[in-house]
Amino acid sequence: MQAMTLAKPGGLDKLALSEMDDPGQPGPGEIRVRLRASSLNFHDYGVVSGAMPSEDGRIPMSDGAGEVEAVGDGVTEFAPGDSVVSTFFPGWHDGPPPVADFTTTPGDGIDGFAREIVVAPATSFTRSPDGWSHEEAATITTAGLTAWRALVVDGGLKAGDDVLVLGTGGVSIYALQIARAMGARVFATTSSGEKAERLRDMGAAAVVNYRETEAWGAEIARETGGRGVDHVIEVGGPATLSQSIEACRIGGHMALIGVLTGRAGEIPTAKLMAKHQKLQGLIVGSRSHQKDMVRAMETTGLRPILDRSFPLADLADAFRHEESGAHFGKITVSI
């Protein structure tokens, strides 16, 4: 089978398409999946760029979707021909988070899905939403489930809530869609006039250009009538957190998801305390969360926004497109 591997010390020029041995037939409790698609995330970029060192020869990519080719003894949840999508933490099935690192995450601590075939425990996958393409399904594993957990699981999103999303990456666009589908009002930031129009077309009540408006947090709060938003999808990190606190209402919820502006920085703790806000860090979610999200996608009819698709052989070019910041929604890879 073909697989993309990453040589140390990392970097896009260290990605190489290789021929590898077929993994064979599934054992008890396992399934064999013919992978058809993956999608790019900031975490994947961290691995392939070498910013997050991994083992020499690692197969990257945390997201994988395809069809089941065979099932091992004892597997009753899936059958050959079923469309499935991978989970970010294969060992986190339900309950509170049991892991605080990426040692078990495909494409990082273990081999990922930039390959044609994988044999893995059946519990490492859920079924894909009915009728979705493999490219669409591949966006659930990381970006989709992160947005779902931030808003629904941790945030308790309800109709009438106000939500702020930062930028137009995969998590932010998914959060906009989920929030709108559940009857919430959405506000957004961007630095592009063209992207601002697309956000409005998707239902954003107001969009603020963060390059033109330095105090964008206060501007978002004004757009809500001065109350502030109920939820912030905080993907930026240290350079955006102070503005997110300004945008968020007293007692509001901020989901700390991303480190796009760095891994550490100052936090205005006095302001956070004074506004009684909840700042909760999270990394994706459990298999149970993912199964709930799949049902919700089918019920609401929501479909992800796809940007561009690249063949597996052009994975480095896909990451270069991600580097450019020109994408809107999810970049996918066909396998």
Side-chain angles (χ1 to χ4, degrees):
M1 70 166 184
Q2 287 193 321
M4 187 68 71
T5 58
L6 178 70
K8 279 192 170 183
L12 299 184
D13 60 335
K14 296 296 184 179
L15 287 168
L17 194 62
S18 308
E19 283 291 335
M20 304 186 73
D21 292 339
D22 188 288
Q25 294 304 302
E30 294 181 331
I31 58 175
R32 175 185 167 100
V33 178
R34 173 57 173 94
L35 294 163
R36 298 294 183 183
S38 184
S39 73
L40 276 64
N41 301 284
F42 187 72
H43 180 90
D44 300 306
Y45 180 74
V47 173
V48 300
S49 68
M52 302 173 65
S54 62
E55 289 187 9
D56 190 53
R58 172 67 73 227
I59 299 173
M61 307 305 288
S62 297
D63 301 358
E67 66 260 4
V68 177
E69 288 191 334
V71 302
D73 291 343
V75 175
T76 59
E77 186 174 357
F78 302 117
D82 286 349
S83 292
V84 293
V85 57
S86 64
T87 56
F88 190 86
F89 292 118
W92 183 13
H93 300 162
D94 202 355
V99 59
D101 55 37
F102 302 111
T103 56
T104 61
T105 298
D108 190 338
I110 63 175
D111 282 336
F113 299 107
R115 50 177 156 171
E116 292 181 317
I117 300 168
V118 64
V119 173
T123 51
S124 298
F125 290 83
T126 70
R127 67 182 183 87
S128 300
D130 188 41
W132 280 31
S133 70
H134 296 305
E135 284 77 12
E136 289 175 318
T139 68
I140 287 177
T141 301
T142 304
L145 189 57
T146 297
W148 174 262
R149 180 182 166 198
L151 288 174
V152 180
V153 179
D154 293 346
L157 179 73
K158 63 184 185 299
D161 281 355
D162 284 338
V163 175
L164 170 61
V165 301
L166 307 185
T168 56
V171 173
S172 296
I173 295 300
Y174 246 122
L176 187 157
Q177 292 180 282
I178 291 169
R180 292 292 297 141
M182 297 183 68
R185 187 169 60 161
V186 180
F187 301 85
T189 66
T190 185
S191 62
S192 162
E194 180 182 350
K195 289 181 178 181
E197 286 304 312
R198 292 194 65 181
L199 287 164
R200 293 187 187 97
D201 289 344
M202 291 181 64
V207 182
V208 176
N209 187 311
Y210 62 83
R211 294 198 189 279
E212 297 175 355
T213 306
E214 184 176 350
W216 53 263
E219 180 62 25
I220 292 291
R222 280 193 290 272
E223 292 286 353
T224 69
R227 176 176 177 269
V229 298
D230 300 281
H231 310 266
V232 180
I233 304 302
E234 178 39 87
V235 298
T240 56
L241 185 54
S242 62
Q243 291 299 315
S244 291
I245 291 172
E246 291 290 339
C248 192
R249 70 167 171 84
I250 296 172
H253 169 248
M254 292 181 289
L256 184 60
I257 293 165
V259 291
L260 296 178
T261 63
R263 294 175 176 271
E266 292 187 6
I267 298 177
T269 52
K271 190 71 171 180
L272 184 69
M273 292 164 56
K275 295 187 76 173
H276 309 275
Q277 291 168 337
K278 178 181 178 182
L279 177 64
Q280 181 166 354
L282 72 146
I283 298 176
V284 197
S286 70
R287 185 173 190 260
S288 178
H289 295 154
Q290 185 161 309
K291 292 169 73 174
D292 288 344
M293 181 186 173
V294 168
R295 287 193 296 271
M297 298 302 97
E298 292 175 339
T299 300
T300 60
L302 188 155
R303 305 290 279 262
I305 301 298
L306 303 184
D307 182 79
R308 286 181 58 187
S309 180
F310 293 78
L312 181 61
D314 294 341
L315 182 60
D317 288 338
F319 279 110
R320 292 186 184 99
H321 181 53
E322 183 182 39
E323 278 181 330
S324 75
H327 60 291
F328 188 101
K330 293 296 293 180
I331 305 167
T332 60
V333 175
S334 60
I335 303 172

